[in-house]
Amino acid sequence: MNFSKYLPLLAAFGLTTTGAFAQLVNPHYSNYQSVLGGTSAEYQWGTYTSETRPAGVAASVSGISSQWPLGIAPISGAGIVFRGNQSFGSETTDFLSGASPNSGGIYTFFSATHFQIQSTSPLAGTKTLVLQIAAAEGQTSGGSATPFLSSPTLTLTTSSGTFIDIAPQYSQLSEQMQQVIFGGPQNIDRYDFQWDLTSIPSFAGNVTGYTINWQEGFHAILFGQDVTESSTVRTTNALVPEPSAGVAMVGGLGLLLGLRRLRGVTFA
């Protein structure tokens, strides 16, 4: 999908303006390997642009799930991919250009897009998972700003059975930058989520695979994700807030979006 051809339509709805996009956002992730300890593995995705699509994504991709048959591999590592989940259907997204005046990222356009991370060969003895997601907030169908329409849930496959739609034990907004665009605030967030697998009733045996599913809002922009697997049992909150929220994640960012989103949430 060519985003530029929709600019007149977006302008008619007050959603964009010439030159409103700006510098590429490079996600910043906390080092949860050092926080969790034990044996660990980390996988990162980021710098989504139309110029540098990750491996497995064709140049003509618009985001329909059938166009992501192999998923998107992380920057390094194997046995884990990012893609649209089974609910993705005909939802459309676009890999935005990182060249001026655009900002990069995966834009959910006029659909509320379902995403999924799937691992088929997790770290042996995995007991804790931490997910980090960096994105510009989207909207609900009613126009209210939201970080997610559906927050991440975990489906876990083990040698003792499958456990479905597990909510994280801990979650937090770890970084945020707020920009004023067209007179209204726009939030760029990094949310972190933690699962202690040993807290799942009847959990036993080795983890043989998992999926993490979530749904972005309308007009959200996804900049990247990070997954940390650890052999450590962590029953308390390991999530680490950054002291200078948003600065590292979007360093050098001017105006981010040409999307006029309705009012965001103001954080003190």
Side-chain angles (χ1 to χ4, degrees):
M1 176 171 57
N2 183 353
F3 178 75
S4 62
K5 71 181 181 181
Y6 290 96
L7 290 177
L9 176 61
L10 292 176
F13 283 90
L15 295 173
T16 190
T17 188
T18 302
F21 286 91
Q23 299 176 20
L24 182 66
V25 175
N26 294 306
H28 166 261
Y29 302 112
S30 291
N31 182 4
Y32 283 112
Q33 286 184 291
S34 63
V35 175
L36 294 170
T39 304
S40 61
E42 184 176 16
Y43 307 95
Q44 294 185 359
W45 293 261
T47 316
Y48 297 125
T49 74
S50 57
E51 297 87 8
T52 58
R53 288 177 173 85
V57 180
S60 61
V61 71
S62 63
I64 299 173
S65 59
S66 62
Q67 295 177 294
W68 294 16
L70 302 178
I72 301 173
I75 295 170
S76 64
I80 187 169
V81 295
F82 162 72
R83 59 188 173 200
N85 72 7
Q86 292 179 353
S87 300
F88 201 100
S90 60
E91 297 166 355
T92 55
T93 65
D94 198 12
F95 285 79
L96 300 177
S97 173
S100 179
N102 296 332
S103 62
I106 302 178
Y107 175 45
T108 62
F109 207 62
F110 288 117
S111 64
T113 307
H114 293 77
F115 292 117
Q116 177 185 90
I117 292 172
Q118 182 177 45
S119 172
T120 55
S121 56
L123 180 73
T126 295
K127 298 294 190 298
T128 299
L129 289 172
V130 173
L131 168 68
Q132 303 175 67
I133 299 176
E137 292 181 357
Q139 294 178 8
T140 66
S141 58
S144 299
T146 182
F148 302 98
L149 285 185
S150 299
S151 295
T153 59
L154 172 70
T155 293
L156 191 68
T157 303
T158 75
S159 55
S160 60
T162 299
F163 306 89
I164 300 173
D165 294 336
I166 307 161
Q169 280 81 17
Y170 301 99
S171 62
Q172 70 179 22
L173 173 61
S174 294
E175 292 188 279
Q176 182 175 78
M177 183 176 182
Q178 190 175 84
Q179 292 287 336
V180 176
I181 302 174
F182 299 113
Q186 168 60 47
N187 293 327
I188 308 164
D189 302 333
R190 197 199 80 215
Y191 274 87
D192 298 356
F193 305 87
Q194 175 188 328
W195 288 267
D196 168 28
L197 307 185
T198 63
S199 69
I200 301 170
S202 303
F203 174 83
N206 291 322
V207 177
T208 57
Y210 62 84
T211 59
I212 301 174
N213 297 281
W214 73 96
Q215 185 183 22
E216 297 286 341
F218 302 89
H219 311 304
I221 297 181
L222 181 65
F223 299 115
Q225 317 84 237
D226 180 288
V227 173
T228 302
E229 304 170 355
S230 173
S231 64
T232 302
V233 174
R234 182 71 185 228
T235 58
T236 57
N237 191 351
L239 303 182
V240 180
E242 295 295 323
S244 55
V247 174
M249 181 173 70
V250 292
L253 180 68
L255 289 177
L256 170 66
L257 302 176
L259 311 174
R260 183 180 181 180
R261 270 196 287 286
L262 298 183
R263 295 169 180 79
V265 180
T266 299
F267 289 81

